[in-house]
Structure formats: C-alpha cells, structure tokens
Amino acid sequence: MSFYLVRLEPDGAGAMKDVPIPDYGPYDKGSEAAKAAKTLTEERGYKVQPRRMAQAPDWRGRQQERLASGALKALPEAWDLVPIKDHFAHLCPRDPSKIAFTENDEHGTIDRTTSLNPGRYITRFYETEDKIPDAHRRKLIAAIDPNGEIFFAFSPEEIVRIYKEGPGSCMDGKHTFEGMDPHWPTEPYGAGDLAVAYTKNAEGRIQSRCLCWPEKKIFGRCYGDIQRMIAAMKAEGYTYYHGDNIRFPDGAKLLKIEHPERRWEYVMPYFDDIEMVILNGDHFETYNGTLASLPLGTKYISCGGSAGRSLLYQYCPKMRSGQPAHTFKHIHGVEQEWSSQAYQSYAFTCRGSGKLYANEFKVSMATPGVYWGHNYFAEHGEHCAVTKKNHPKTEMVQKGDRRVHNSVEWRFDADGKELPAKKIKAIEEERWGTVSIGDLIGEKPWRRDMRYMGKSRFEREYNAVTNTVESRITGQHYDQVIIDDPFVAAPQLDPRQQQEMARYMGDLVDRQLRDQMLRGLPEPAARYDYDPTR
C-alpha cells in the first residue's frame, strides 16, 4: 500500500478539500509520508497531510472535467490520432510546444503529468508496431509545435540554400569563397546519403539545422536553436553523434567537385562530426579511422576548413604523415608510393632506367655520383674485377674466360692473360705520351706539385687531387665532363702545342669543377674540342 501527500485548502463552503501535491511521493510507508508532510508544513506554512492511495477519489473524472472546462488546453483538431486511454493528453501549460499526459494510475492520483515533444510522443506510443508516414508525422508535429516540424534537404541546391540562409557559421551566406563559383563548400553533402535537417520559425525562416544520415538515424552538431533541434531530432528517433571521439561511421557518400581555379584542390566543407573522407572513384566517402589505418595509397581529405576547399592528401608510409597526394611517386624496391619529401631524402633516380628507387637498393656505378637500381643493374650492369667497379654491360668485353671493362681490355691478350708490367708501361707511354698535372689544374686550392707522368699515373693522381672527378680521358662521361682523348696526338705536337693543349684542357676541367662545387648540381656535358693542328 502506498501513500501520497495533499494540501488542505478551503472549498468555499466552509470545509477543507484535498489538493494532491504532484512533486512529492508516492511513498511506500506511511511513516515516510508523515515525515515528509510535517517537513512541508513547516517549510511552506500550509497544512500538508498524507493519504492512502487506495482511498483516493477518482482522478479520471477530475482530468475529464478540466479538459471539458478548458482548464487544460486540448490538443488541436489537426492532431487526428486516436487518443491513448487514460492519458488525457493536452498542451503542456508550461511549454505549449509539448504534450502533457498522465503516465499511470499513481501519477493520476497525485495529479502528476509527464511532458514530451510531439515527435517523441508519437514514437513512444503510436509507432510501437508500424511507422507513421513521414508527411503525416510532420503534419502532426506542426499542429502542436509549428517551430518543431523537421524538414530535410537532400539535393546539393537545397543544402546550399539552408546553409546560406540558416543560422550563422563559417559556411553561411555572409561569407565569400574566392574563385569557387558556381559552387559552395557544402555542396558535396548532396550525394544522396547525407541530408541537412532543419526547422523554421513562425515567419518561415530557417531557425536551426544539423547534418544527419537518415538511413543510420544519426545527426551531428546543431546550429541555431540548439536544444530544441536536439530534442526534435531525438524525438524522431535519431541518435546524437557529437562530442569527443564521436564521429559519423564509414560509408556516407559525398560529391567529388574539383575547385574551379585551384589545381589539385577540391570543394569541401568544414567538418564538425566527420573524421575524414576518402576518395572512392568518382566520389568521396566518410571514414572514421586514423591515418595509419588507411590502406596504403588511399587518398583523403581531413577537412575543408573555413576556406571550403582542400588539397587531396595521401598517407606516406616513409614519413608516417599525410602529404599532398599530387607529390607522390612510385618507389621501386619497396614498391610503395612516397611523397616528394620522402623520395627527395630517402630515394634516388636510377640513371639507367630513370626510375626512383629506395636508397637501400642503390648500386654505385664507376662514374662518381651515378647510381643504378639493383634490379636494373642485375639486367644491364656488370662488375669488373680489374677496375673493381660497376659498369654497363655494353662497356664490358670478353677476353678469354675473363670479362673486363673496355678501358682496360688492352692490358690483356686474346686468351685473357694480363700483359707483362713492362709491356703495359711501354704501351702507355707510346699511346698517351706525358702531360703536366700542374698545367692542368693551374694555381687552384687543390694544386699539387706533380711531375710529368704517363696516363695511368695521371688517372691516379688526378683522382687524388680533385677527389671529385674520375677521368680516364677517354671520351667517357664522368660527372658531366666529357673529354675527347687529347693524348693520342701528343707525340706529334711540338712543346709549344703541347703546352697550349694542356692549358686549354686545364681551363675546361677547372671550369667544370668550379661550377659543380659552387652549385652542387649536375652540369650539362662539356666536350674538349681543341684541335692543336689548326
């Protein structure tokens, strides 16, 4: 048996009547009710007494009389649903935009009502089995609360209008987005999955809005009359997706719209409750995850920002961060796509194939500063055991069972046996003559005191002096320096011609070295074209 509290008031005929106090009780024990009655009597200055629920008068007659007299304002005629028995539903006196009703018998006895907005009242009591058609539902809600009726914009044009004319934000019509005409940042929402829910005020102006996903029954941050919008959406059965670490799930489509003027950029709104969108063919899709969880090669946009546009980004596995997608190139060896920041620091260009390789797959060729990729070298390159360097296969020759580079083939006979040292020296002197390295390098910081020497000695000493260019003086490319062999004609030149030739060659090499050391960049090839017989 339960108890409730009443206030004793004169009935106008000299007697006292019981007026239930709805804010307290009911109580399971009479002692609890008596204690509460005593406290209220002392606090409020009027007599409060406990009563037994079983002895309470008929509350239904009381509610019916109030509705009939107009003391309680009945629901409008447009509310054409069958009344719920014993609810005695009416407009809430404190907030006419809500429906007040008696939830159960105990609440009826103590004169307590419950208030719900019309959408939630419909969902709770009229949609237990079948849903009411959306158009009818909106009509019912508008009958109670004209400002509480929810509208939905799905098309790009409708969505843009709601943002332009609705509550203030960085995407509203007071802002301008340079060079974006005829598009607007919020246009991508109109791909069909997402919608913008909104309400209007009595004048028909857009009062509040929020982004929602009708199929999933979720909605995000609200603008305008925030609390009313949240309540209205929840009444429609939607779940609020806003706050820390709460984002829309994967899969909602957004339109793919290229920026009219800015290369590599796309029209995209500011995101409130979307983590990022990923590119999927001709459209974008919402993605609720981290950059590291994206499949390699996936292109994405994390947010359009207040500018309403964004570059397309891609996760770089080498840099472990997002980088502009248009800077990515395929890196051979690791078989991944890296950003320019990554391949400029951790990759090289194979001079043979022109392809990019990760540094760990670098093969150093005989020419300083020239590198090939490992698999390109395996197919097109070869190591010479004599020069102890890597060369193109096209420069290798067969000498008996031996493969040697063509620059040293003269040192071997047809059977691959190396000639005696004396004979090699004699051939060198006969073929190349002598030249002063001092004449070649002139008065430079790297000058060394050297004597006249044969070609083989010249190669060794020249390398040691410059530490930059290795030159066999055979017309080959070495650090972009190409020198046609001037030593072949040396024995036929008189001392004056030899001196002039050495000076010309020294100036050429010095110029190439100086430019490379100052710029640190490859220079166009220079060719020795001096003809001392002219």
Side-chain angles (χ1 to χ4, degrees):
M1 182 179 294
S2 57
F3 299 82
Y4 68 102
L5 302 181
V6 298
R7 174 183 177 180
L8 298 181
E9 289 185 357
D11 61 0
M16 302 297 287
K17 66 176 181 179
D18 291 349
V19 178
I21 301 178
D23 297 333
Y24 296 88
Y27 302 93
D28 292 331
K29 296 180 181 180
S31 59
E32 293 177 352
K35 183 177 180 180
K38 182 179 179 181
T39 301
L40 286 176
T41 299
E42 294 174 352
E43 289 179 354
R44 300 191 177 185
Y46 53 74
K47 189 67 173 178
V48 177
Q49 292 182 348
R51 295 287 186 268
R52 294 178 186 272
M53 281 282 187
Q55 298 174 353
D58 181 21
W59 63 270
R60 293 174 180 82
R62 180 192 66 213
Q63 291 297 90
Q64 189 65 51
E65 182 183 346
R66 288 175 175 175
L67 282 171
S69 66
L72 295 179
K73 190 172 182 179
L75 300 181
E77 292 183 3
W79 184 274
D80 55 5
L81 298 177
V82 178
I84 305 296
K85 184 181 179 181
D86 291 341
H87 268 201
F88 300 98
H90 56 279
L91 297 182
C92 178
R94 295 183 299 275
D95 185 354
S97 67
K98 294 182 178 181
I99 296 175
F101 63 98
T102 304
E103 194 161 357
N104 53 49
D105 192 60
E106 283 191 344
H107 283 193
T109 299
I110 64 176
D111 203 14
R112 178 182 297 173
T113 59
T114 302
S115 298
L116 293 176
N117 61 44
R120 183 165 292 185
Y121 187 75
I122 292 172
T123 301
R124 182 172 173 182
F125 297 107
Y126 288 96
E127 293 185 330
T128 55
E129 295 181 1
D130 299 324
K131 290 186 68 65
I132 294 176
D134 287 343
H136 189 198
R137 182 189 177 94
R138 288 197 296 270
K139 178 183 175 182
L140 293 169
I141 294 173
I144 305 297
D145 180 15
N147 298 338
E149 182 179 3
I150 297 178
F151 302 88
F152 293 89
F154 285 91
S155 71
E157 296 77 15
E158 286 182 302
I159 290 173
V160 168
R161 182 181 69 84
I162 301 307
Y163 272 86
K164 282 185 174 181
E165 300 176 5
S169 73
C170 61
M171 300 283 107
D172 65 25
K174 296 178 181 178
H175 291 77
T176 57
F177 300 94
E178 184 177 354
M180 196 175 290
D181 290 340
H183 302 291
W184 197 258
T186 56
E187 194 173 329
Y189 285 144
D193 290 336
L194 301 176
V196 175
Y198 63 99
T199 61
K200 302 177 183 178
N201 61 19
E203 289 76 32
R205 296 176 181 174
I206 298 167
Q207 179 174 265
S208 53
R209 64 164 171 82
C210 66
L211 183 69
C212 64
W213 191 349
E215 182 183 358
K216 303 287 186 181
K217 284 287 184 179
I218 60 176
F219 71 104
R221 179 180 177 183
C222 297
Y223 289 80
D225 192 343
I226 297 174
Q227 296 305 320
R228 200 167 194 171
M229 189 72 190
I230 292 174
M233 291 300 289
K234 288 183 176 180
E236 292 289 318
Y238 281 73
T239 302
Y240 194 30
Y241 267 60
H242 181 64
D244 295 338
N245 301 318
I246 302 177
R247 297 291 183 268
F248 277 32
D250 301 350
K253 291 183 180 179
L254 280 79
L255 295 176
K256 176 184 175 182
I257 304 173
E258 294 185 6
H259 195 282
E261 294 186 2
R262 303 180 73 91
R263 189 180 182 190
W264 297 311
E265 293 192 4
Y266 290 83
V267 176
M268 197 61 64
Y270 176 87
F271 294 148
D272 284 310
D273 305 294
I274 295 175
E275 185 66 30
M276 69 180 79
V277 293
I278 59 176
L279 184 61
N280 187 1
D282 61 351
H283 65 275
F284 289 97
E285 291 183 1
T286 56
Y287 180 76
N288 184 19
T290 63
L291 291 182
S293 67
L294 283 172
L296 289 181
T298 303
K299 297 175 175 59
Y300 71 93
I301 290 176
S302 59
C303 185
S306 58
R309 54 180 169 79
S310 174
L311 284 169
L312 194 62
Y313 284 82
Q314 184 174 331
Y315 180 73
C316 178
K318 188 64 177 178
M319 303 307 296
R320 298 182 180 180
S321 63
Q323 303 288 331
H326 66 275
T327 68
F328 278 67
K329 291 184 179 180
H330 183 78
I331 307 301
H332 294 268
V334 293
E335 305 307 322
Q336 294 177 342
E337 288 190 343
W338 288 2
S339 64
S340 59
Q341 185 180 357
Y343 63 68
Q344 287 172 6
S345 301
Y346 304 105
F348 70 98
T349 301
C350 172
R351 292 281 286 274
S353 65
K355 298 178 180 179
L356 284 168
Y357 284 81
N359 282 343
E360 55 264 37
F361 299 95
K362 180 186 293 184
V363 177
S364 298
M365 302 302 289
T367 306
V370 174
Y371 307 102
W372 282 9
H374 68 299
N375 53 5
Y376 186 84
F377 177 79
E379 184 177 353
H380 301 285
E382 197 170 339
H383 183 76
C384 176
V386 179
T387 63
K388 295 182 174 55
K389 295 178 181 179
N390 300 314
H391 303 275
K393 278 186 179 180
T394 55
E395 296 180 4
M396 300 294 288
V397 295
Q398 192 74 34
K399 286 290 186 175
D401 296 333
R402 186 194 300 265
R403 294 274 294 173
V404 298
H405 188 252
N406 58 19
S407 65
V408 294
E409 64 173 312
W410 58 272
R411 298 175 58 175
F412 302 88
D413 61 21
D415 296 327
K417 294 181 180 180
E418 190 169 11
L419 301 177
K422 290 184 178 181
K423 190 170 185 179
I424 291 175
K425 183 178 180 180
I427 293 175
E428 283 182 338
E429 291 179 351
E430 179 181 353
R431 293 184 64 186
W432 310 115
T434 58
V435 67
S436 169
I437 189 67
D439 287 337
L440 287 177
I441 63 176
E443 297 295 335
K444 302 298 178 186
W446 51 80
R447 176 173 181 174
R448 290 182 56 184
D449 183 18
M450 296 183 179
R451 298 169 298 172
Y452 283 79
M453 60 187 72
K455 183 188 176 187
S456 59
R457 174 79 181 278
F458 173 83
E459 293 179 52
R460 293 193 300 272
E461 297 294 341
Y462 192 80
N463 265 342
V465 171
T466 66
N467 199 28
T468 304
V469 177
E470 176 186 7
S471 178
R472 290 191 301 277
I473 320 301
T474 58
Q476 303 298 324
H477 293 251
Y478 288 99
D479 274 2
Q480 307 301 318
V481 180
I482 303 176
I483 305 178
D484 291 337
D485 193 350
F487 296 95
V488 175
Q492 288 79 39
L493 303 180
D494 60 38
R496 183 190 62 77
Q497 290 175 321
Q498 289 187 27
Q499 185 178 16
E500 185 178 357
M501 178 192 71
R503 185 179 299 108
Y504 184 93
M505 180 179 168
D507 289 342
L508 174 69
V509 175
D510 287 339
R511 185 171 66 253
Q512 292 291 319
L513 291 176
R514 183 185 67 251
D515 290 347
Q516 289 187 38
M517 294 177 74
L518 289 176
R519 300 180 187 179
L521 299 171
E523 288 293 319
R527 182 173 295 277
Y528 176 84
D529 58 359
Y530 175 72
D531 183 359
T533 61
R534 286 195 298 231

